[in-house]
Coordinates of all heavy atoms in Angstrom, one line a residue:
M242 N -2.5 -13.3 -1.9 CA -1.7 -12.6 -2.6 C -2.3 -12.3 -4.0 O -3.0 -13.2 -4.5 CB -0.2 -13.2 -2.9 CG 0.7 -12.8 -1.7 SD 0.8 -13.8 -0.2 CE 0.7 -15.5 -0.6
G243 N -1.8 -11.2 -4.7 CA -2.4 -11.0 -6.0 C -3.7 -10.1 -5.9 O -4.2 -9.7 -6.9
D244 N -4.2 -10.0 -4.8 CA -5.4 -9.1 -4.6 C -5.1 -7.7 -4.9 O -4.0 -7.1 -4.7 CB -6.0 -9.1 -3.1 CG -6.7 -10.5 -2.8 OD1 -6.9 -11.2 -3.7 OD2 -6.9 -10.8 -1.6
V245 N -6.1 -7.0 -5.5 CA -5.8 -5.6 -6.0 C -7.0 -4.7 -5.3 O -8.1 -5.1 -5.3 CB -6.0 -5.6 -7.6 CG1 -5.9 -4.2 -8.0 CG2 -4.9 -6.4 -8.2
I246 N -6.5 -3.6 -4.9 CA -7.4 -2.7 -4.2 C -7.4 -1.3 -5.0 O -6.3 -0.8 -5.1 CB -6.8 -2.4 -2.8 CG1 -6.6 -3.7 -2.0 CG2 -7.7 -1.3 -2.0 CD1 -5.6 -3.7 -0.9
T247 N -8.5 -1.0 -5.4 CA -8.6 0.3 -6.2 C -8.8 1.5 -5.1 O -9.6 1.4 -4.3 CB -9.8 0.2 -7.1 OG1 -9.6 -0.9 -8.0 CG2 -9.9 1.5 -8.0
V248 N -8.1 2.5 -5.4 CA -8.2 3.6 -4.5 C -8.6 4.9 -5.3 O -8.3 5.0 -6.5 CB -6.8 3.9 -3.7 CG1 -6.6 2.8 -2.8 CG2 -5.7 4.2 -4.6
P249 N -9.1 5.9 -4.7 CA -9.4 7.2 -5.4 C -8.2 7.8 -6.1 O -7.2 7.8 -5.6 CB -10.0 8.1 -4.3 CG -10.5 7.1 -3.2 CD -9.5 6.0 -3.2
E250 N -8.5 8.4 -7.3 CA -7.4 9.1 -8.0 C -6.7 10.1 -7.3 O -5.6 10.4 -7.5 CB -8.0 9.6 -9.4 CG -8.2 8.7 -10.4 CD -8.6 9.4 -11.7 OE1 -8.1 10.5 -12.0 OE2 -9.5 8.8 -12.4
T251 N -7.4 10.8 -6.4 CA -6.8 11.8 -5.5 C -5.7 11.4 -4.7 O -4.9 12.2 -4.2 CB -7.9 12.5 -4.6 OG1 -8.6 11.5 -3.9 CG2 -9.0 13.2 -5.5
Y252 N -5.5 10.0 -4.5 CA -4.4 9.5 -3.7 C -3.2 9.4 -4.5 O -2.1 9.2 -3.9 CB -4.8 8.1 -3.2 CG -5.8 8.0 -2.1 CD1 -6.3 6.8 -1.6 CD2 -6.4 9.2 -1.5 CE1 -7.3 6.7 -0.7 CE2 -7.4 9.1 -0.6 CZ -7.8 7.9 -0.1 OH -8.8 7.8 0.8
G253 N -3.2 9.7 -5.8 CA -1.9 9.7 -6.7 C -1.4 8.3 -7.0 O -0.3 8.2 -7.4
L254 N -2.3 7.2 -6.6 CA -1.9 5.8 -7.0 C -3.0 5.2 -7.7 O -4.1 5.5 -7.6 CB -1.6 5.2 -5.6 CG -0.6 5.6 -4.6 CD1 -0.6 4.8 -3.4 CD2 0.8 5.5 -5.3
G255 N -2.5 4.3 -8.6 CA -3.4 3.4 -9.3 C -3.8 2.3 -8.3 O -3.5 2.3 -7.1
P256 N -4.4 1.2 -8.9 CA -4.7 0.0 -8.0 C -3.5 -0.5 -7.3 O -2.5 -0.7 -7.9 CB -5.2 -1.0 -9.0 CG -5.7 -0.1 -10.2 CD -4.8 1.0 -10.2
I257 N -3.7 -0.8 -6.0 CA -2.6 -1.3 -5.2 C -2.7 -2.8 -5.2 O -3.7 -3.4 -4.9 CB -2.7 -0.8 -3.7 CG1 -2.6 0.7 -3.7 CG2 -1.7 -1.4 -2.8 CD1 -3.0 1.3 -2.4
E258 N -1.6 -3.5 -5.6 CA -1.6 -5.0 -5.6 C -0.8 -5.6 -4.5 O 0.4 -5.1 -4.1 CB -0.9 -5.5 -6.9 CG -1.0 -6.9 -7.1 CD -0.4 -7.4 -8.4 OE1 -0.1 -6.7 -9.2 OE2 -0.3 -8.7 -8.5
V259 N -1.3 -6.6 -3.8 CA -0.6 -7.3 -2.7 C 0.3 -8.2 -3.4 O -0.2 -9.2 -4.1 CB -1.6 -8.0 -1.8 CG1 -0.8 -8.8 -0.7 CG2 -2.5 -7.0 -1.0
K260 N 1.6 -8.1 -3.3 CA 2.6 -9.0 -3.9 C 3.0 -10.2 -3.0 O 3.2 -11.3 -3.5 CB 3.8 -8.3 -4.3 CG 3.6 -7.2 -5.3 CD 3.1 -7.7 -6.6 CE 4.1 -8.2 -7.5 NZ 3.7 -8.6 -8.8
A261 N 3.1 -9.9 -1.7 CA 3.5 -11.0 -0.8 C 3.1 -10.7 0.7 O 3.0 -9.5 1.0 CB 5.0 -11.2 -0.9
I262 N 3.0 -11.7 1.4 CA 2.7 -11.5 2.9 C 3.7 -12.5 3.6 O 3.8 -13.6 3.3 CB 1.3 -11.9 3.4 CG1 0.3 -11.0 2.6 CG2 1.0 -11.9 4.8 CD1 -1.2 -11.5 2.7
N263 N 4.6 -11.8 4.3 CA 5.7 -12.6 5.1 C 5.6 -12.2 6.5 O 6.0 -11.2 6.9 CB 7.0 -12.3 4.5 CG 7.2 -12.6 3.0 OD1 6.9 -13.7 2.6 ND2 7.6 -11.6 2.2
G264 N 5.1 -13.2 7.4 CA 5.0 -12.9 8.8 C 4.1 -11.7 9.0 O 2.9 -11.7 8.5
N265 N 4.5 -10.6 9.6 CA 3.7 -9.4 9.8 C 4.0 -8.3 8.8 O 3.5 -7.2 9.0 CB 3.8 -8.8 11.3 CG 5.2 -8.2 11.5 OD1 6.2 -8.4 10.8 ND2 5.3 -7.4 12.4
E266 N 4.7 -8.7 7.7 CA 5.0 -7.7 6.6 C 4.1 -8.0 5.4 O 3.8 -9.1 5.0 CB 6.4 -7.8 6.1 CG 7.3 -7.3 7.1 CD 8.8 -7.2 6.6 OE1 9.1 -7.9 5.7 OE2 9.6 -6.6 7.2
V267 N 3.6 -6.9 4.8 CA 2.8 -7.0 3.5 C 3.6 -6.2 2.5 O 3.9 -5.0 2.7 CB 1.4 -6.5 3.8 CG1 0.6 -6.5 2.4 CG2 0.7 -7.1 4.8
E268 N 3.9 -6.8 1.4 CA 4.6 -6.2 0.2 C 3.5 -5.7 -0.8 O 2.6 -6.6 -1.1 CB 5.5 -7.1 -0.4 CG 6.7 -7.5 0.5 CD 7.7 -8.4 -0.2 OE1 7.9 -8.3 -1.4 OE2 8.3 -9.2 0.6
L269 N 3.5 -4.4 -1.2 CA 2.5 -3.9 -2.0 C 3.2 -3.2 -3.2 O 4.3 -2.7 -3.1 CB 1.7 -2.8 -1.3 CG 1.1 -3.4 0.0 CD1 0.7 -2.1 0.9 CD2 -0.1 -4.2 -0.3
V270 N 2.6 -3.1 -4.3 CA 3.1 -2.4 -5.5 C 1.9 -1.6 -6.1 O 0.7 -2.1 -6.1 CB 3.8 -3.2 -6.5 CG1 2.8 -4.3 -7.2 CG2 4.5 -2.5 -7.6
A271 N 2.1 -0.4 -6.6 CA 1.0 0.4 -7.2 C 1.6 1.3 -8.3 O 2.7 1.9 -8.0 CB 0.3 1.2 -6.2
P272 N 1.0 1.6 -9.4 CA 1.5 2.5 -10.4 C 1.2 4.0 -9.8 O 0.3 4.2 -9.0 CB 0.7 2.3 -11.6 CG -0.6 1.6 -11.1 CD -0.2 0.9 -9.8
L273 N 2.1 4.8 -10.2 CA 1.8 6.3 -9.8 C 1.0 7.0 -10.8 O 1.2 6.8 -12.1 CB 3.2 7.0 -9.7 CG 4.2 6.5 -8.6 CD1 5.5 7.2 -8.7 CD2 3.7 6.7 -7.2
T274 N 0.0 7.8 -10.3 CA -0.8 8.5 -11.2 C -0.6 10.0 -11.2 O -1.0 10.8 -12.0 CB -2.3 8.2 -11.1 OG1 -2.6 8.6 -9.7 CG2 -2.6 6.7 -11.3
G275 N 0.1 10.4 -10.1 CA 0.4 11.9 -9.9 C 1.8 12.2 -10.3 O 2.6 11.2 -10.7
S276 N 2.2 13.4 -10.1 CA 3.6 13.8 -10.4 C 4.6 13.6 -9.4 O 5.8 13.7 -9.6 CB 3.6 15.3 -10.8 OG 3.1 16.1 -9.7
G277 N 4.2 13.3 -8.2 CA 5.1 13.0 -7.1 C 4.7 11.9 -6.2 O 3.7 11.3 -6.4
Y278 N 5.5 11.6 -5.2 CA 5.3 10.5 -4.4 C 5.9 10.7 -3.0 O 7.0 11.1 -3.0 CB 5.7 9.1 -5.0 CG 5.6 8.0 -4.0 CD1 4.4 7.5 -3.7 CD2 6.7 7.6 -3.3 CE1 4.2 6.4 -2.9 CE2 6.6 6.5 -2.4 CZ 5.4 6.0 -2.2 OH 5.2 5.0 -1.3
S279 N 5.2 10.5 -1.9 CA 5.8 10.5 -0.6 C 5.3 9.4 0.3 O 4.0 9.0 0.2 CB 5.7 11.9 0.1 OG 4.3 12.1 0.4
V280 N 6.0 8.9 1.2 CA 5.6 7.9 2.1 C 6.2 8.2 3.4 O 7.4 8.5 3.6 CB 5.9 6.4 1.6 CG1 7.4 6.3 1.5 CG2 5.3 5.4 2.4
S281 N 5.4 7.9 4.5 CA 5.9 7.9 5.8 C 5.3 6.7 6.6 O 4.1 6.6 6.6 CB 5.5 9.2 6.6 OG 5.8 9.2 7.9
G282 N 6.2 5.9 7.2 CA 5.7 4.7 8.0 C 5.8 3.4 7.4 O 5.5 2.5 8.0
C283 N 6.2 3.3 6.1 CA 6.4 2.0 5.4 C 7.8 2.2 4.8 O 8.1 3.4 4.4 CB 5.4 1.7 4.4 SG 3.8 1.2 5.0
S284 N 8.5 1.1 4.6 CA 9.7 1.2 3.8 C 9.4 1.0 2.3 O 8.5 0.3 1.9 CB 10.7 0.2 4.2 OG 10.2 -1.1 4.0
G285 N 10.1 1.6 1.5 CA 9.9 1.6 0.0 C 10.1 2.9 -0.7 O 10.4 3.9 -0.1
G286 N 9.8 2.8 -2.0 CA 10.0 4.1 -2.7 C 9.6 3.8 -4.2 O 9.0 2.9 -4.5
G287 N 9.9 4.9 -4.9 CA 9.5 4.8 -6.4 C 10.3 3.9 -7.2 O 11.2 3.2 -6.8
S288 N 10.2 4.0 -8.5 CA 11.0 3.4 -9.6 C 10.7 1.9 -9.7 O 11.5 1.1 -10.2 CB 12.5 3.5 -9.3 OG 12.8 4.9 -9.1
V289 N 9.6 1.5 -9.2 CA 9.2 0.0 -9.5 C 8.4 0.0 -10.7 O 7.5 0.8 -10.9 CB 8.3 -0.4 -8.3 CG1 7.7 -1.8 -8.5 CG2 9.1 -0.4 -7.0
S290 N 8.6 -1.0 -11.6 CA 7.9 -1.1 -12.8 C 6.5 -1.9 -12.5 O 6.6 -3.0 -11.9 CB 8.7 -1.9 -13.8 OG 7.9 -2.1 -15.0
S291 N 5.5 -1.2 -12.8 CA 4.1 -1.9 -12.5 C 3.4 -1.7 -13.9 O 2.9 -0.6 -14.2 CB 3.4 -1.1 -11.4 OG 2.1 -1.6 -11.3
N292 N 3.2 -2.8 -14.5 CA 2.4 -2.9 -15.8 C 3.2 -1.9 -16.8 O 2.4 -1.3 -17.5 CB 1.0 -2.6 -15.7 CG 0.3 -3.6 -14.8 OD1 0.7 -4.8 -14.8 ND2 -0.6 -3.2 -14.0
G293 N 4.4 -1.7 -16.8 CA 5.2 -1.0 -17.8 C 5.2 0.5 -17.5 O 5.7 1.2 -18.3
T294 N 4.7 0.9 -16.4 CA 4.7 2.3 -16.0 C 5.5 2.5 -14.7 O 5.8 1.6 -14.0 CB 3.4 2.9 -15.8 OG1 2.7 2.2 -14.8 CG2 2.5 2.7 -17.1
G295 N 5.8 3.7 -14.3 CA 6.4 4.0 -13.0 C 5.5 3.7 -11.9 O 4.3 3.8 -12.0
G296 N 6.1 3.3 -10.9 CA 5.3 2.8 -9.7 C 6.1 2.9 -8.4 O 7.2 3.4 -8.4
V297 N 5.4 2.4 -7.3 CA 6.0 2.4 -6.0 C 5.8 1.1 -5.4 O 4.8 0.3 -5.6 CB 5.3 3.5 -5.1 CG1 3.8 3.2 -5.0 CG2 6.0 3.6 -3.9
G298 N 6.9 0.6 -4.8 CA 6.8 -0.7 -4.0 C 6.9 -0.3 -2.5 O 7.7 0.5 -2.1
L299 N 6.1 -1.0 -1.7 CA 6.1 -0.7 -0.3 C 6.2 -2.0 0.5 O 5.6 -3.0 0.1 CB 4.8 0.0 0.1 CG 4.4 1.3 -0.5 CD1 3.0 1.7 -0.1 CD2 5.4 2.3 0.1
T300 N 6.8 -2.0 1.7 CA 6.7 -3.1 2.7 C 6.2 -2.5 4.0 O 6.8 -1.6 4.5 CB 8.1 -3.7 2.9 OG1 8.5 -4.3 1.5 CG2 8.0 -4.9 3.8
C301 N 5.0 -2.9 4.3 CA 4.3 -2.3 5.5 C 4.2 -3.4 6.5 O 3.9 -4.5 6.1 CB 3.1 -1.7 5.2 SG 3.1 -0.3 3.9
T302 N 4.3 -3.0 7.8 CA 4.1 -4.0 8.9 C 2.9 -3.7 9.8 O 2.4 -2.5 9.7 CB 5.4 -4.1 9.8 OG1 5.6 -2.8 10.4 CG2 6.6 -4.6 9.0
E303 N 2.4 -4.7 10.5 CA 1.4 -4.4 11.5 C 1.8 -3.3 12.4 O 3.0 -3.2 12.8 CB 1.1 -5.7 12.3 CG 0.4 -6.8 11.5 CD 0.2 -7.9 12.5 OE1 0.0 -7.8 13.8 OE2 0.1 -9.1 11.9
G304 N 0.9 -2.4 12.7 CA 1.2 -1.3 13.7 C 0.6 0.0 13.2 O -0.4 0.0 12.5
P305 N 1.3 1.1 13.6 CA 0.8 2.4 13.2 C 0.5 2.5 11.7 O 1.2 1.9 10.8 CB 1.9 3.3 13.7 CG 2.6 2.5 14.6 CD 2.5 1.1 14.2
A306 N -0.4 3.4 11.4 CA -0.7 3.6 9.9 C 0.4 4.4 9.3 O 1.1 5.3 9.9 CB -2.0 4.4 9.8
A307 N 0.6 4.1 8.0 CA 1.6 4.8 7.1 C 0.8 5.9 6.5 O -0.4 5.8 6.2 CB 2.2 3.9 6.1
T308 N 1.4 7.0 6.0 CA 0.8 8.1 5.3 C 1.5 8.1 3.9 O 2.7 8.2 3.8 CB 1.0 9.4 5.9 OG1 0.4 9.4 7.3 CG2 0.3 10.6 5.2
L309 N 0.7 8.1 2.8 CA 1.2 8.1 1.5 C 0.7 9.4 0.8 O -0.6 9.7 0.9 CB 0.7 6.9 0.7 CG 1.4 5.7 1.0 CD1 0.8 4.9 2.2 CD2 1.3 4.7 -0.2
N310 N 1.5 10.1 0.2 CA 1.2 11.3 -0.6 C 0.5 12.4 0.2 O -0.2 13.1 -0.3 CB 0.4 11.0 -1.9 CG 1.3 10.3 -2.9 OD1 2.4 10.3 -2.9 ND2 0.6 9.5 -3.7
D311 N 0.6 12.3 1.6 CA 0.1 13.2 2.5 C -1.5 13.2 2.4 O -2.1 14.1 3.0 CB 0.6 14.6 2.3 CG 2.0 14.8 2.6 OD1 2.6 14.1 3.5 OD2 2.7 15.5 1.9
V312 N -2.1 12.2 1.8 CA -3.6 12.2 1.6 C -4.2 10.8 1.9 O -5.4 10.7 2.1 CB -4.0 12.7 0.2 CG1 -3.7 14.1 -0.1 CG2 -3.5 11.7 -0.9
M313 N -3.4 9.9 2.0 CA -3.9 8.5 2.2 C -3.2 7.9 3.4 O -2.0 7.9 3.6 CB -3.7 7.6 1.0 CG -4.1 6.3 1.1 SD -3.7 5.3 -0.4 CE -2.7 3.9 0.4
S314 N -4.1 7.2 4.2 CA -3.6 6.4 5.3 C -3.8 4.9 5.0 O -4.8 4.5 4.6 CB -4.4 6.7 6.6 OG -4.1 5.8 7.7
L315 N -2.6 4.2 5.3 CA -2.6 2.7 5.0 C -2.2 2.0 6.3 O -1.1 2.3 6.8 CB -1.8 2.4 3.9 CG -1.8 0.8 3.4 CD1 -1.6 0.7 1.9 CD2 -0.7 0.1 4.2
K316 N -3.0 1.2 6.9 CA -2.7 0.4 8.1 C -2.8 -1.1 7.9 O -3.8 -1.5 7.3 CB -3.5 0.8 9.3 CG -3.2 0.2 10.5 CD -4.0 0.6 11.6 CE -3.7 -0.2 12.9 NZ -3.6 0.6 14.1
V317 N -1.8 -1.8 8.3 CA -1.8 -3.3 8.3 C -2.4 -3.6 9.6 O -1.7 -3.5 10.7 CB -0.4 -4.0 8.0 CG1 -0.6 -5.5 8.2 CG2 0.1 -3.6 6.7
V318 N -3.7 -4.0 9.7 CA -4.4 -4.3 10.9 C -4.0 -5.6 11.4 O -3.7 -5.7 12.6 CB -6.0 -4.2 10.6 CG1 -6.6 -4.6 12.0 CG2 -6.4 -2.9 10.1
K319 N -3.9 -6.6 10.6 CA -3.6 -8.0 11.1 C -3.1 -8.8 9.9 O -3.5 -8.6 8.8 CB -4.9 -8.7 11.6 CG -4.7 -10.0 12.2 CD -4.3 -9.9 13.6 CE -4.3 -11.3 14.2 NZ -3.2 -11.6 15.1
T320 N -2.2 -9.7 10.1 CA -1.7 -10.7 9.2 C -1.9 -12.1 9.8 O -1.7 -12.2 11.0 CB -0.2 -10.4 8.7 OG1 0.6 -10.6 9.9 CG2 -0.1 -9.2 8.0
L321 N -2.2 -13.0 8.9 CA -2.4 -14.4 9.4 C -2.1 -15.3 8.2 O -2.9 -15.3 7.2 CB -3.8 -14.7 10.0 CG -4.0 -16.1 10.5 CD1 -3.1 -16.5 11.6 CD2 -5.5 -16.2 10.9
D322 N -1.0 -16.1 8.3 CA -0.6 -16.9 7.2 C -0.5 -16.0 5.9 O 0.4 -15.2 5.8 CB -1.5 -18.1 7.0 CG -1.5 -19.0 8.3 OD1 -0.4 -19.1 9.0 OD2 -2.6 -19.5 8.6
S323 N -1.4 -16.3 4.9 CA -1.3 -15.6 3.6 C -2.4 -14.6 3.4 O -2.8 -14.3 2.4 CB -1.4 -16.7 2.4 OG -2.6 -17.4 2.6
T324 N -3.0 -14.2 4.6 CA -4.1 -13.2 4.6 C -3.7 -12.0 5.5 O -3.0 -12.0 6.4 CB -5.3 -13.8 5.3 OG1 -5.7 -15.0 4.6 CG2 -6.5 -12.9 5.2
A325 N -4.1 -10.8 4.9 CA -3.8 -9.5 5.6 C -5.1 -8.7 5.6 O -5.8 -8.7 4.6 CB -2.7 -8.8 5.0
V326 N -5.3 -8.0 6.7 CA -6.4 -7.0 6.7 C -5.8 -5.6 6.6 O -4.9 -5.3 7.5 CB -7.2 -7.2 8.1 CG1 -8.2 -6.1 8.2 CG2 -7.8 -8.6 8.1
L327 N -6.1 -4.8 5.7 CA -5.5 -3.5 5.5 C -6.7 -2.5 5.7 O -7.8 -2.7 5.2 CB -5.0 -3.4 4.0 CG -4.0 -4.4 3.6 CD1 -3.6 -4.1 2.1 CD2 -2.7 -4.3 4.5
R328 N -6.3 -1.4 6.2 CA -7.3 -0.3 6.4 C -6.7 0.9 5.6 O -5.7 1.4 5.9 CB -7.5 0.1 7.8 CG -8.6 1.3 8.0 CD -8.9 1.6 9.5 NE -9.4 0.5 10.1 CZ -9.1 0.0 11.3 NH1 -8.1 0.6 12.0 NH2 -9.6 -1.1 11.8
I329 N -7.5 1.3 4.5 CA -7.1 2.4 3.7 C -8.1 3.5 3.8 O -9.3 3.2 3.6 CB -6.9 2.0 2.3 CG1 -5.7 0.9 2.2 CG2 -6.6 3.2 1.3 CD1 -5.6 0.4 0.8
E330 N -7.7 4.7 4.2 CA -8.7 5.8 4.3 C -8.0 7.2 4.1 O -6.7 7.2 4.1 CB -9.3 5.8 5.7 CG -8.4 5.8 6.9 CD -9.1 5.5 8.1 OE1 -10.2 5.1 8.2 OE2 -8.4 5.6 9.2
P331 N -8.7 8.1 3.8 CA -8.1 9.6 3.7 C -7.5 10.0 5.0 O -8.0 9.6 6.0 CB -9.3 10.4 3.2 CG -10.5 9.7 3.5 CD -10.2 8.3 3.6
T332 N -6.5 10.7 5.0 CA -5.9 11.4 6.1 C -6.6 12.6 6.5 O -7.3 13.2 5.7 CB -4.4 11.7 5.9 OG1 -4.2 12.6 4.9 CG2 -3.6 10.5 5.7
G333 N -6.4 13.0 7.8 CA -7.1 14.3 8.2 C -8.4 14.1 8.4 O -9.5 14.4 8.4

């Protein structure tokens, strides 16, 4: 936990921080860098305070990839104890 993943600015998010791993769920938080935000496939939403700025909090589980801001795919590949393998890539 506490690991930070930097993603391209075009994804509309700042660095994504892993806040917790509970079973097959991974809790993430990231500041918003764009003017809008959308998510499909993970639970969560905006209005999370991340380093004093607006951000997003997500809870994603193992399984199908989630789509964020229609440009980024995030998949929880595997969780084991306090470790998670995430796959982040552009959509399309």
Side-chain angles (χ1 to χ4, degrees):
M242 269 88 46
D244 287 344
V245 175
I246 305 149
T247 302
V248 296
E250 279 187 39
T251 55
Y252 290 174
L254 299 173
I257 301 169
E258 181 180 356
V259 177
K260 298 300 276 182
I262 300 169
N263 300 308
N265 71 340
E266 290 186 341
V267 180
E268 293 178 34
L269 308 161
V270 64
L273 295 175
T274 60
S276 60
Y278 171 77
S279 66
V280 62
S281 171
C283 287
S284 62
S288 304
V289 172
S290 178
S291 176
N292 298 326
T294 62
V297 62
L299 299 169
T300 301
C301 301
T302 59
E303 288 181 25
T308 302
L309 285 83
N310 292 337
D311 297 323
V312 295
M313 180 184 121
S314 169
L315 184 149
K316 179 177 177 142
V317 177
V318 178
K319 182 86 174 141
T320 59
L321 180 62
D322 299 324
S323 62
T324 303
V326 176
L327 304 177
R328 181 177 299 135
I329 297 173
E330 57 192 9
T332 58

